Amino acid sequence: RPNGSGVAMFAGLGSQATIKNLNVENVSVTGDEWVAGLVAYNQGNLTNVSVTGEIQGDVVVAGLVAEHVGNGTQGIIDQSRADVVVEATVASAGGLVAMQKAGQIKQSYVGGQVSAGNQVGGLVGLNDGGSITQSYAKNQVSSTGSDIGGLVAAEQSASGTPEVTASFWDEETSGQTTSPGGAGASTEDMTSFDLYDQAWNDNQNTVIVDGWADATDSDVTAVWGQCSGVNDGYPFNLIEYATDPCVVTGLEISVSPAGGQLKNIPFVVTVTSVSSFGDAIAVDEAITIALTAEISGDAEAGSLGVVGSNQAPSIVLPAGQSAVTLEDVFFSGLSDPNATGDIELKASADLGQETITGA
């Protein structure tokens, strides 16, 4: 609706409205004024909601909520996130919220890109009397005009006193070194557990854990987790994952060229370590991966090798990486050179007391 106002999944939510546990993926939203991925004008409470995709408009454009209004007990965005490309051709854009009036944003984060002609913030464009608590922005922020900030673009007090507590933005990914609220940090610090441990945890409260914990467990008080293999090493909301996303549970193999005639023709094998969700995840320590092959069909025998080597093919996945590639792999030695069949490559690695595999 390029000429419309209030363009989003929900044009407006009243103060009694609640949206929980909703993930909206790969949106493409275009409007004129008050444009967002989820709600154009919000007075309700949003908990554990997320948006990915692209949002374009002229004025008041955001990844999650265009205008967010609160009154103390309503108008709360909690443990929510957006990974979006947001573009406002005129003014007022935010990765999460474009304009906040006395609303609350708690323990939420944003990635992607956000740009506007004027008043553009990584998390919030204009913060008018609202609060931002234990949240962060890791997106790219750009503007051709004034009022630009890594976390917040501008503040005013018409709706109350704006307050930003223990919230951060990445100065390197954003390209911004200033913000009316929040603290800027390097990517190295933003992906370091120490930053959040010092800012969010104390003797009485554990807000973030190193790794993952079950958010549904009544004994768990934390709302954040962090590990190198998830969300590029930045913190994530524990409520996002029902099982531990920080551990490697399997391996995936890809071959180039894929399919077709591979007999006696060198090919490339890439092995990726994955979590229980099938997401690529970096390993904490280097692991050695053994490659084997099984053949089915008319051909009953054969062997897997690497050009220039008489050793069984293996590959080392370095610490801190999720994928590794081995070139010049070949399959040869068929009992019948004219036979046809399917080759299934398998990868296995010992990880502590477990053996992880993939095919």
Side-chain angles (χ1 to χ4, degrees):
R1 296 170 52 199
N3 298 314
S5 178
V7 184
M9 175 173 283
F10 299 93
L13 292 179
S15 61
Q16 301 304 308
T18 298
I19 299 178
K20 298 175 66 176
N21 307 326
L22 175 65
N23 300 320
V24 185
E25 298 181 350
N26 300 322
V27 305
S28 179
V29 183
T30 301
D32 182 9
E33 302 174 331
W34 278 258
V35 185
L38 188 66
V39 186
Y41 180 84
N42 177 58
Q43 293 178 298
N45 293 337
L46 311 179
T47 302
N48 186 30
V49 297
S50 70
V51 172
T52 65
E54 299 182 0
I55 298 96
Q56 296 180 327
D58 294 332
V59 180
V60 192
V61 186
L64 193 71
V65 175
E67 183 172 350
H68 178 54
V69 180
N71 64 2
T73 57
Q74 278 80 38
I76 301 172
I77 297 174
D78 186 24
Q79 296 184 61
S80 297
R81 54 220 157 261
D83 191 354
V84 288
V85 176
V86 176
E87 181 181 357
T89 58
V90 180
S92 193
L96 196 74
V97 173
M99 184 182 299
Q100 175 169 238
K101 296 181 178 180
Q104 299 178 51
I105 298 173
K106 302 163 56 180
Q107 297 166 336
S108 299
Y109 69 93
V110 66
Q113 304 172 33
V114 58
S115 63
N118 187 38
Q119 197 178 89
V120 54
L123 192 78
V124 176
L126 173 64
N127 185 22
D128 177 8
S131 67
I132 301 171
T133 305
Q134 294 174 351
S135 299
Y136 73 86
K138 62 170 184 170
N139 50 356
Q140 178 184 334
V141 183
S142 59
S143 174
T144 57
S146 59
D147 288 343
I148 181 172
L151 190 76
V152 178
E155 290 184 337
Q156 68 181 36
S157 303
S159 300
T161 302
E163 182 179 1
V164 180
T165 304
S167 296
F168 305 93
W169 82 90
D170 191 317
E171 293 184 344
E172 295 180 57
T173 58
S174 68
Q176 306 302 321
T177 58
T178 61
S179 169
S186 66
T187 301
E188 181 178 0
D189 286 339
M190 292 281 292
T191 54
S192 167
F193 180 73
D194 290 341
L195 174 68
Y196 309 99
D197 187 31
Q198 295 176 16
W200 295 348
N201 291 341
D202 56 36
N203 293 331
Q204 286 76 39
N205 301 289
T206 299
V207 178
I208 185 171
V209 295
D210 189 0
W212 175 85
D214 186 354
T216 64
D217 187 334
S218 59
D219 293 331
V220 173
T221 60
V223 298
W224 291 100
Q226 187 179 19
C227 60
S228 61
V230 177
N231 195 27
D232 298 323
Y234 296 84
F236 56 88
N237 293 133
L238 292 176
I239 201 170
E240 294 180 61
Y241 298 98
T243 57
D244 192 347
C246 295
V247 296
V248 177
T249 59
L251 301 170
E252 289 184 351
I253 299 176
S254 62
V255 176
S256 178
Q261 171 63 270
L262 296 180
K263 182 179 65 178
N264 297 324
I265 299 175
F267 52 91
V268 176
V269 177
T270 299
V271 181
T272 303
S273 53
V274 296
S275 71
S276 58
F277 293 88
D279 298 327
I281 180 172
V283 293
D284 293 329
E285 298 180 359
I287 60 173
T288 299
I289 301 169
L291 296 177
T292 58
E294 292 184 1
I295 188 166
S296 61
D298 297 333
E300 297 179 354
S303 61
L304 194 67
V306 178
V307 175
S309 173
N310 58 3
Q311 303 293 322
S314 66
I315 190 169
V316 176
L317 178 58
Q321 296 188 23
S322 61
V324 63
T325 296
L326 181 63
E327 299 181 352
D328 294 330
V329 181
F330 65 93
F331 190 83
S332 63
L334 294 175
S335 55
D336 179 356
N338 297 315
T340 60
D342 294 324
I343 301 171
E344 182 180 39
L345 295 183
K346 294 186 175 181
S348 63
D350 292 329
L351 200 64
Q353 296 182 346
E354 292 186 62
T355 299
I356 55 175
T357 61

